[in-house]
Structures are given as structure tokens and as C-alpha cells.
């Protein structure tokens, strides 16, 4: 069982997202005097995410994934239990006591084309991994803002159409899988809560969004801040509803078959790049860095992402390995 899956078309920014999330985890942990967050990653995952971060700290974007390079990333977020402050010291010191509620991620950085191939044909060399992806409870869609276009023809428009169609098919496949699984468990009289999926849409490369696109929709040039949850949701919904209408409709429609795709959470990711005049020899954009050599990126959005999972971890009755153990309640309106 894998709680979280990342899905995005080729070159949409999945690897950069994972590298930046890792950077945010490191920064948040070290800056956080109150000890409100911890993370842990297995060796391969730390190497993978750390490798991306190292590339960004050198000012370069990571190399493109090879088609075969399906990467499974395992990490855990931990948040202190609310109960902690009420408990006597001797319990807190006991070695069986776990002061953190945790939520595990087994994220797959799967090449978009592989998922598309599987969803279209039912066949893929990576069938096993993609089937695991379909079992996830948290689905993180990476939507590449540099591809959003108001044009109604041309290659960019075609790519956007394809992504919308494939995303909708994936959402439908996810729901079908959950319906079958739930029916089988109910028949076998196995305890199972009603299926629920938490969709997260990360709008990547937001620095590359065409201002004309935002103007056209009457949206401000920057997403509303974290403390304006309703405005943020509207901002996200207008963009996705306009450019990925099939996905938007399916997110809502899955409820008809009994799978609650709980309210979508939106996050915006961007990396600052240096001006074209500073392009390095390979002609690729250079990542801008702060005085510590860290990439300049939308840290506040990533911190918001980490906070969002605090809510999900709170719902977990105990240390959860399986996200199905999460109670199907509604995320806070700040999502
Ligand atoms: N300007 C800008 N460019 C970005 C950003 N994120 C990613 N990119 C560019 O997009 C390219 C692809 O990003 P990746 O994270 O490698 O995308 P991916 O989805 O992992 O790609 P594959 O694994 O090859 O499918 C990078 O090499 C960068 O050139 C961003 O926030 N801003
Ligand atoms: Mg990648």
C-alpha cells in the first residue's frame, strides 16, 4: 500500500518538486525551535532527493529522467501528538511512547508517458509500479504552468489537451480501483472505511506562467497568500477548471461512484532563475541562489504543503503504514 503518488507528464517538474520538498523539510526542521515537525527518509530516497537538491545548489536543474527510471521515494513526516503536553513525564520518557504521529509516503516519480501508456493500453513494462500508484490515497498532480495557454491550436495546446485527457482517465482508474477494492473487502466482511482520496495539485514552474493567461481569467499575477484559503482555492479552481476541465469534472464526479475525492489542495511551486544573459554554457537556465547557496524558491508554499499533511497525520489513529487507516473526514478549509 502506498499512501502518496506523484503524477505529472514528462518534464512537468516532478523531480524538481521532490528536491524542493526535501529542501523545505531540511529547512523547516532546522529552523523549527518548537520541534513541531520531523522527517525521515530511507537511504535511497535521501540520496535521490538530496542529489536533486545538490544540483539545484550548484545552480543547475537535475537531468531528465530516463524512461526506465521509475523511482520510488520513501519518507515519513512526523508531527508531535496533541496529547504530549498533557502526559506525565514518566510516560513521555517510556521507550514505548511515541511522541509523534507519523504519515508515510511511498511516492513514485513515474515518467508521465509510462502511466499514460498503461492507462491507454493496460500494458506497461512498469505495470506493477503503476498499479501501486492506482492504490494511493493521496495523489499529487504536477501541473506545468509553462504549458497553460489561451491558444486554441498549436503544439502547446495539443499537449495541454492530452494532459487533461490522461489526467481524467487516471482519476477514473483510481476511483474504479477503489470501488472494486471496497466491494471485495465488504464482501469478505473485512473492515474497511469508505474510500477517500486526497488530491493535491501542485502548479509547477509558476514563474513561467504566461501573464496573459492570468489576465485573460481576471486573476492576480500571484496566487493569494496561505492565510487566504478560500481565495487560494478559487484561484486554483479557476486555472484548473479553465485549462484542465476534464480533470476538474472528474475530481467532482468520482463521488457518484462512492469515492470521495476530498477537497483539492492547491500549492504553487516556482524556482527563481537568473536572466537569460546569465545562461551557462549549455544554454540551460541557471537557478538563482541565496547567500547560503540554497535555491531561491517558493518555500512558503512547501511549508504549507508540510502543514497540510499535519492535518492528515492528525486523523491517523496511530502510526499508520496504510493510508486507508485515515478517517474520511474533511480537510480544513485552509487546504
Ligand atoms: N523556470 C523554472 N523551470 C523549472 C521549474 N521546475 C522545473 N523546471 C524546468 O523543467 C525541467 C524539468 O523538470 P523536472 O523536475 O526534471 O521534470 P520531471 O517531471 O521530473 O521530468 P521527467 O522525469 O524527465 O519526466 C527542468 O530541467 C527545468 O528546466 C521551475 O520552478 N521554474
Ligand atoms: Mg524526473
Amino acid at each position: 500500500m502506498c499512501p502518496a503518488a506523484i503524477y505529472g507528464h514528462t518534464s512537468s517538474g516532478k523531480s524538481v518538486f521532490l528536491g524542493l520538498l526535501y529542501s523545505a523539510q531540511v529547512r523547516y526542521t532546522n529552523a523549527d525551535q518548537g520541534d513541531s515537525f520531523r522527517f525521515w527518509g530511507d537511504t535511497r530516497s535521501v540520496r535521490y532527493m538530496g542529489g536533486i537538491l545538490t544540483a539545484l545548489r550548484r545552480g543547475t536543474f537535475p537531468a531528465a529522467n530516463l524512461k526506465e527510471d521509475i523511482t520510488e521515494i520513501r519518507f515519513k513526516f512526523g508531527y508531535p501528538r496533541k496529547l504530549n503536553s498533557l502526559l506525565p513525564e514518566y510516560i513521555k520518557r517510556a521507550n514505548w511512547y511515541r511522541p509523534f504521529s507519523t504519515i508515510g509516503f511511498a511516492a513514485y516519480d513515474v515518467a508521465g508517458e509510462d502511466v499514460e501508456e498503461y492507462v491507454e493500453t493496460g500494458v506497461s513494462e512498469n505495470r506493477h509500479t503503476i498499479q501501486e500508484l492506482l492504490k494511493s490515497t493521496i495523489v499529487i498532480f504536477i501541473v506545468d504552468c509553462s504549458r497553460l495557454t489561451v491558444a486554441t491550436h498549436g503544439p502547446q495546446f495539443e499537449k495541454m489537451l492530452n494532459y487533461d485527457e490522461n489526467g481524467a482517465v487516471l482519476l477514473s482508474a483510481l476511483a474504479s480501483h477503489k470501488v472494486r477494492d471496497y466491494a471485495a473487502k465488504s464482501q469478505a466482511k473485512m473492515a474497511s472505511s469508505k474510500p477517500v482520496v486526497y488530491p493535491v495539485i501542485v502548479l509547477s514552474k509558476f514563474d513561467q506562467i504566461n501573464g496573459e493567461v492570468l489576465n485573460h481569467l481576471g486573476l492576480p499575477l500571484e496566487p493569494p497568500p496561505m492565510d487566504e484559503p478560500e481565495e487560494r482555492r478559487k484561484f486554483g479552481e479557476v486555472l484548473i477548471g479553465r485549462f484542465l476541465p476534464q480533470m476538474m469534472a472528474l475530481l467532482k464526479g468520482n463521488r457518484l461512484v462512492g469515492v470521495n475525492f476530498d477537497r483539492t489542495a492547491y500549492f504553487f511551486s516556482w524556482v527563481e532563475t537568473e536572466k537569460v544573459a546569465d545562461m551557462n554554457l549549455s544554454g540551460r537556465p541557471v537557478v538563482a541562489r541565496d547567500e547560503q547557496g540554497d535555491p531561491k524558491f517558493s518555500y512558503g508554499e512547501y511549508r504549507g504543503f508540510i502543514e497540510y499533511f499535519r492535518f492528515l497525520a492528525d486523523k491517523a489513529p496511530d502510526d499508520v503504514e496504510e493510508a486507508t487507516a485515515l478517517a474520511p473526514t474533511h480537510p480544513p478549509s485552509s487546504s
Side-chain angles (χ1 to χ4, degrees):
M1 177 68 210
C2 53
I6 300 173
Y7 171 74
H9 60 67
T10 305
S11 193
S12 56
K14 301 178 293 293
S15 301
V16 169
F17 165 75
L18 283 166
L20 294 178
L21 181 60
Y22 182 69
S23 173
Q25 289 165 212
V26 171
R27 191 154 143 191
Y28 192 42
T29 309
N30 293 327
D32 178 18
Q33 303 301 318
D35 202 17
S36 66
F37 170 71
R38 299 264 181 104
F39 80 91
W40 178 88
D42 76 12
T43 317
R44 270 186 42 214
S45 308
V46 168
R47 198 186 298 285
Y48 176 80
M49 293 168 98
I52 299 170
L53 179 55
T54 302
L56 293 168
R57 296 195 70 189
R58 287 200 184 102
T60 56
F61 281 108
N65 282 15
L66 300 173
K67 193 173 182 297
E68 310 78 58
D69 188 12
I70 290 212
T71 317
E72 187 181 325
I73 295 107
R74 288 190 175 270
F75 55 95
K76 239 178 218 286
F77 283 0
Y79 305 92
R81 292 181 198 279
K82 288 205 179 106
L83 221 62
N84 286 352
S85 58
L86 304 173
L87 292 172
E89 268 313 306
Y90 76 92
I91 290 191
K92 284 197 258 181
R93 277 202 300 270
N95 60 7
W96 50 261
Y97 181 64
R98 294 180 169 185
F100 289 88
S101 51
T102 60
I103 182 158
F105 287 75
Y108 295 97
D109 182 7
V110 183
E113 61 200 51
D114 279 4
V115 181
E116 283 152 26
E117 183 187 331
Y118 179 73
V119 166
E120 256 169 47
T121 63
V123 193
S124 165
E125 293 159 42
N126 301 307
R127 209 181 82 218
H128 180 70
T129 312
I130 296 164
Q131 282 175 341
E132 284 297 299
L133 188 151
L134 293 179
K135 291 185 199 163
S136 353
T137 311
I138 301 158
V139 207
I140 302 162
F141 289 95
I142 308 282
V143 174
D144 180 348
C145 289
S146 70
R147 295 206 182 179
L148 304 185
T149 174
V150 283
T152 49
H153 52 267
Q156 213 184 351
F157 178 64
E158 288 296 323
K159 280 182 183 158
M160 204 173 67
L161 283 186
N162 283 342
Y163 187 63
D164 189 24
E165 184 190 326
N166 287 320
V169 173
L170 178 70
L171 283 169
S172 158
L174 258 164
S176 308
H177 187 281
K178 302 247 171 313
V179 169
R180 275 200 304 272
D181 190 53
Y182 182 61
K185 281 189 177 142
S186 305
Q187 215 168 23
K189 306 242 174 328
M190 281 164 71
S192 171
S193 49
K194 277 204 137 190
V196 63
V197 175
Y198 297 95
V200 176
I201 295 184
V202 174
L203 290 117
S204 67
K205 309 189 199 175
F206 197 78
D207 56 302
Q208 299 282 302
I209 199 165
N210 183 346
E212 197 195 325
V213 159
L214 296 169
N215 281 334
H216 185 77
L217 297 172
L219 293 172
L221 291 178
E222 282 182 12
M226 246 1 130
D227 57 3
E228 290 177 18
E230 279 311 314
E231 292 303 309
R232 276 174 72 83
R233 191 197 315 283
K234 260 188 243 152
F235 188 93
E237 280 181 359
V238 169
L239 275 174
I240 301 301
R242 168 68 173 78
F243 295 110
L244 303 172
Q246 294 190 40
M247 275 179 71
M248 194 59 169
L250 258 287
L251 279 169
K252 294 180 178 165
N254 278 311
R255 197 176 275 241
L256 296 181
V257 289
V259 185
N260 188 4
F261 274 64
D262 225 315
R263 289 181 100 174
T264 306
Y266 295 91
F267 298 97
F268 302 84
S269 172
W270 64 88
V271 177
E272 242 181 77
T273 49
E274 314 242 302
K275 294 206 173 60
V276 182
D278 293 329
M279 288 267 206
N280 63 11
L281 286 177
S282 63
R284 298 178 69 174
V286 174
V287 175
R289 284 159 295 157
D290 63 16
E291 56 286 355
Q292 273 119 45
D294 283 320
K296 290 190 182 168
F297 70 104
S298 54
Y299 173 63
E301 295 286 329
Y302 282 83
R303 200 181 48 211
F305 183 92
I306 293 171
E307 290 294 332
Y308 177 65
F309 286 95
R310 183 188 304 280
F311 154 76
L312 293 187
D314 271 352
K315 299 287 148 227
D318 205 345
D319 278 4
V320 268
E321 292 306 327
E322 295 209 1
T324 41
L326 298 171
T329 44
H330 295 273
S333 55
S334 65
S335 59

